[in-house]
Amino acid sequence: MDRYDVTIIGGGPTGLFAAFYAGLRGMKTEIIDALPQLGGQLTALYPEKYIYDVAGFPKVLSKDLAQNLIDQALQYNPTVHLGDKITDMRIQEDENPAEGMPSKYFELDTEDGSTHETYSIVLTIGIGAFAPRKLNLEDAGKFEGKGVDYFVKEKSKFKNKRLLIVGGGDSAVDWGLHLHEIADSITLIHRRDRFRAHEDSVKQLFESPVTIKIPYEVKAIYGNATVEEVTIFNNKTKEEEKLEVDHILLNLGFVANIGKIKEWGLNIVKNDIEVTSKMETNVPGIYAAGDIATYPGKLKLIATGFGEAATAVNNAKTYIDPSAKAFPGHSSDMEPPPGSK
Ligand SMILES: Cc1cc2nc3c(=O)[nH]c(=O)nc-3n(C[C@H](O)[C@H](O)[C@H](O)COP(=O)(O)OP(=O)(O)OC[C@H]3O[C@@H](n4cnc5c(N)ncnc54)[C@H](O)[C@@H]3O)c2cc1C
């Protein structure tokens, strides 16, 4: 089995930048993510939104930032293991350690049953492995991928389509605002009288061509191969209505949790992992960075995750090789990465 110098758990923006730095430091690197694609929240939750607070980008589309991070990270050819969640960790003693390598290493188990060996771990698991909150309706499950969606990967999918959006939070309202120009029509329903979304966005939504129905819920979904029609009902008056739609976007939020990583013996403070200024956790050899890492004054932003990723990986380097310096030098003084275009 390959034993890695560093295994980065979580391929969101922080994990991707950590993978780049690990490559720059000549570390044998693996990235593991529970999702089927890299990019973390950027690709899974808001690929079509603009981000305005990443240094060097006055404005960048979330999915474009993710792609740039992926391109940058893959230049050193790390191993990428996707669609599989890390569950257990064991610390093992190597009776015959390779020269100059630590005698301890970690074994990591995944949900799919594979085991991965590594000398150090950088946890960049964000808010944990996440899954969309589902509608409690059998029909919705039947039409998943056949007109029922939880995330928007490509806006073009809804071009000239009749769309029903369900939800009252920021995602539902933002998608109403982002998609009404390309969709044929949009109806947005929410089961409560008040929206949870940002006040300003709700105001814009009411001024937009989106048809808003509150307090409404989905009763049934009909169609042959794909969604064709839906029955919605007013949960106060019980009045029902049929709508012809091509797509249903369920923006009911998502559930995320760090799962069995909670049982690894790490210091956890309110679901976050406590770290030092070197991004070390209380378990030697395990580092954390990005949304999951906490310390006094922490800001959960993409920008902070980048700096923390560099700190975590460079300190992991000195953990494996105490003769190495934490400071990596300036990349501008180095050879270009092997995959550099
Ligand atoms: C709608 C929205 C808009 C936002 N806008 C901005 C913005 O404008 N500016 C800004 O700075 N921030 C913004 N954020 C926050 C930003 O996206 C996060 O701070 C950032 O994604 C954190 O990056 P991360 O790499 O630490 O974690 P994540 O992006 O959450 O990535 C973590 C990855 O770890 C994986 N993972 C978790 N547990 C496991 C496991 N056990 N095994 C394997 N893989 C696992 C997950 O699948 C995920 O891919 C926004 C967030 C949302 C939801």
Side-chain angles (χ1 to χ4, degrees):
M1 187 188 296
D2 279 329
R3 190 177 300 163
Y4 292 91
D5 291 331
V6 61
T7 294
I8 296 163
I9 307 177
T14 312
L16 287 166
F17 197 54
F20 165 75
Y21 248 108
L24 185 98
R25 295 304 309 259
M27 297 166 88
K28 187 172 169 180
T29 307
E30 183 174 35
I31 317 176
I32 300 176
D33 201 295
L35 293 170
Q37 78 278 327
L38 290 167
Q41 295 179 47
L42 302 188
T43 7
L45 299 184
Y46 58 107
E48 298 278 359
K49 284 183 96 149
Y50 281 105
I51 303 173
Y52 301 91
D53 59 345
V54 174
F57 290 96
K59 170 181 173 178
V60 61
L61 204 54
S62 182
K63 67 177 181 189
D64 293 345
L65 177 64
Q67 193 54 54
N68 281 342
L69 285 161
I70 293 167
D71 293 347
Q72 188 179 32
L74 299 189
Q75 290 178 110
Y76 290 102
N77 291 317
T79 301
V80 181
H81 183 82
L82 294 176
D84 200 2
K85 188 167 144 186
I86 292 291
T87 51
D88 297 295
M89 177 277 293
R90 287 176 299 280
I91 301 173
Q92 302 288 23
E93 195 73 39
D94 198 340
E95 279 166 20
N96 291 306
E99 207 190 323
M101 296 312 276
S103 60
K104 284 195 169 66
Y105 67 95
F106 299 96
E107 261 180 13
L108 293 165
D109 292 339
T110 70
E111 207 161 57
D112 284 359
S114 60
T115 299
H116 302 245
E117 290 186 3
T118 186
Y119 288 111
S120 67
I121 296 171
V122 176
L123 287 167
T124 48
I125 55 175
I127 46 177
F130 44 84
R133 197 169 275 129
K134 306 254 168 146
L135 195 65
N136 193 12
L137 189 73
E138 205 181 303
D139 293 355
K142 208 167 77 189
F143 286 104
E144 264 176 35
K146 297 173 188 157
V148 169
D149 285 289
Y150 295 93
F151 300 117
V152 177
K153 293 218 172 88
E154 290 293 333
K155 279 205 294 197
S156 55
K157 183 171 181 178
F158 303 101
K159 196 168 174 204
N160 301 330
K161 303 286 183 194
R162 296 160 303 177
L163 174 64
L164 173 72
I165 300 178
V166 184
D170 282 312
S171 294
V173 171
D174 284 355
W175 284 124
L177 293 172
H178 277 90
L179 294 171
H180 73 75
E181 273 171 14
I182 63 161
D184 180 58
S185 65
I186 300 185
T187 304
L188 187 148
I189 64 168
H190 177 39
R191 68 191 168 116
R192 302 197 196 286
D193 292 321
R194 287 180 67 83
F195 285 88
R196 285 189 319 279
H198 198 275
E199 213 176 299
D200 231 36
S201 312
V202 176
K203 187 168 170 273
Q204 283 179 49
L205 186 76
F206 275 93
E207 288 161 3
S208 77
V210 173
T211 306
I212 302 161
K213 289 188 173 284
I214 46 175
Y216 269 73
E217 295 181 42
V218 178
K219 181 164 187 200
I221 304 170
Y222 313 95
N224 289 312
T226 58
V227 170
E228 290 169 17
E229 199 175 54
V230 61
T231 302
I232 56 171
F233 70 101
N234 182 313
N235 61 24
K236 282 196 179 142
T237 63
K238 308 294 172 210
E239 184 189 338
E240 291 187 9
E241 199 174 316
K242 279 200 168 166
L243 298 175
E244 287 186 358
V245 292
D246 306 298
H247 286 279
I248 302 173
L249 183 57
L250 298 172
N251 285 149
L252 307 169
F254 52 88
V255 275
N257 68 69
I258 67 170
K260 292 191 83 179
I261 294 175
K262 256 197 170 136
E263 297 163 21
W264 290 11
L266 300 163
N267 285 345
I268 310 247
V269 181
K270 293 189 192 155
N271 283 324
D272 295 333
I273 298 170
E274 202 170 49
V275 292
T276 65
S277 58
K278 292 181 174 179
M279 299 295 130
E280 301 158 310
T281 68
N282 57 310
V283 178
I286 304 186
Y287 297 77
D291 275 12
I292 192 64
T294 191
Y295 47 83
K298 164 80 182 195
L299 295 179
K300 292 192 181 191
L301 288 172
I302 297 164
T304 19
F306 290 160
E308 292 169 7
T311 304
V313 167
N314 284 296
N315 282 293
K317 173 76 184 174
T318 65
Y319 166 79
I320 298 172
D321 175 5
S323 68
K325 287 191 176 132
F327 185 64
H330 291 140
S331 67
S332 52
D333 295 331
M334 297 176 191
E335 288 290 314
S340 170
K341 287 178 194 148

